[in-house]
């Protein structure tokens, strides 16, 4: 194992910094009606996903503290966690993306990319290592079934593979 340590900055604080950076990059810019509508839908979906995951953790009476992933007492694999191993982070990324859309700024997407990199390189590996150490084979099985970010519906996967096969002919 690589001995990843959980960052000392809570992910919501990083998201707040991302939102501030987006504000600086976009200035007073606001997107048009279509951008604002898309932002509203994405924000609602992101908040719903995060809330769904948070409720499952509450029902399981396990820790959601990202600074101390080793304190998890239960491996939550149902609900939102059946489609993503990181639904709360997916919700955070979705909310930050919605903010960029609302502002109508491509530059405001740059901090979102930074957030994804931070999560992908620092936060999530530390959590995965702690969960692997704590739950062993059960966590390995979960990782095999559920992707780190999101599960595409099987129909989309089938369509993508069918198109790929046609291109190979």
């Amino acid at each position: 194992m690589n001995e990843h340590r959980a960052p000392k900055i809570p992910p919501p604080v990083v998201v707040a910094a991302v939102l501030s950076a987006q504000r600086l990059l976009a200035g007073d810019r606001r997107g048009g009606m279509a951008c604002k509508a898309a932002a509203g839908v994405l924000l609602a979906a992101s908040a719903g996903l995060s809330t769904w995951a948070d409720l499952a953790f509450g029902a399981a009476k396990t820790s959601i503290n990202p600074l101390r992933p080793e304190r998890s007492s239960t491996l939550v694999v149902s609900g939102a966690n059946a489609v993503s191993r990181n639904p709360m982070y997916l919700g955070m990324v979705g909310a930050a993306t919605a903010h960029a859309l609302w502002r109508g700024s491509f530059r405001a997407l740059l901090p979102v990319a930074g957030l994804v990199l931070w999560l992908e390189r620092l936060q999530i590996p530390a959590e995965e290592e702690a969960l692997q150490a704590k739950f062993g084979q059960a966590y390995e099985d979960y990782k095999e079934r559920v992707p780190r970010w999101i599960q595409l519906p099987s129909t989309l996967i089938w369509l993508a593979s069918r198109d790929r096969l046609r291109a190979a002919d």
Side-chain angles (χ1 to χ4, degrees):
M1 285 196 172
N2 292 338
E3 296 278 336
H4 288 99
R5 292 177 125 181
K8 301 295 182 205
I9 304 169
V13 171
V14 175
V15 171
V18 165
L19 298 175
S20 295
Q22 288 176 315
R23 170 73 170 96
L24 290 172
L25 288 169
D28 291 331
R29 184 176 169 91
R30 299 287 187 273
M33 204 55 147
C35 284
K36 287 181 178 178
V41 169
L42 182 56
L43 181 60
S46 298
L49 182 65
S50 292
T51 301
W52 187 21
D54 188 51
L55 290 172
F57 274 68
K61 295 180 177 31
T62 191
S63 174
I64 63 166
N65 183 350
L67 304 181
R68 303 298 304 266
E70 70 280 358
R71 290 188 177 170
S72 295
S73 60
T74 304
L75 182 60
V76 179
V77 299
S78 61
N81 288 79
V83 294
S84 171
R85 292 197 317 261
N86 297 286
M88 290 181 214
Y89 296 149
L90 186 57
M92 290 176 189
V93 169
T97 302
H99 187 241
L101 281 171
W102 185 78
R103 292 200 166 275
S105 170
F106 284 112
R107 285 188 293 185
L109 289 171
L110 292 173
V112 178
L115 172 62
V116 171
L117 283 172
W118 181 81
L119 289 167
E120 190 69 23
R121 304 277 185 202
L122 299 173
Q123 186 65 45
I124 293 172
E127 291 179 14
E128 287 179 338
E129 190 172 293
L131 293 173
Q132 180 67 52
K134 184 130 191 174
F135 300 108
Q137 189 61 47
Y139 185 68
E140 277 297 315
D141 294 344
Y142 175 59
K143 281 176 34 176
E144 286 293 317
R145 284 190 323 271
V146 179
R148 182 180 264 184
W149 287 102
I150 192 159
Q151 180 70 49
L152 291 175
S154 58
T155 304
L156 292 177
I157 294 169
W158 178 79
L159 286 171
S161 64
R162 187 183 72 181
D163 290 343
R164 192 183 74 236
L165 290 174
R166 279 188 191 158
D169 286 339

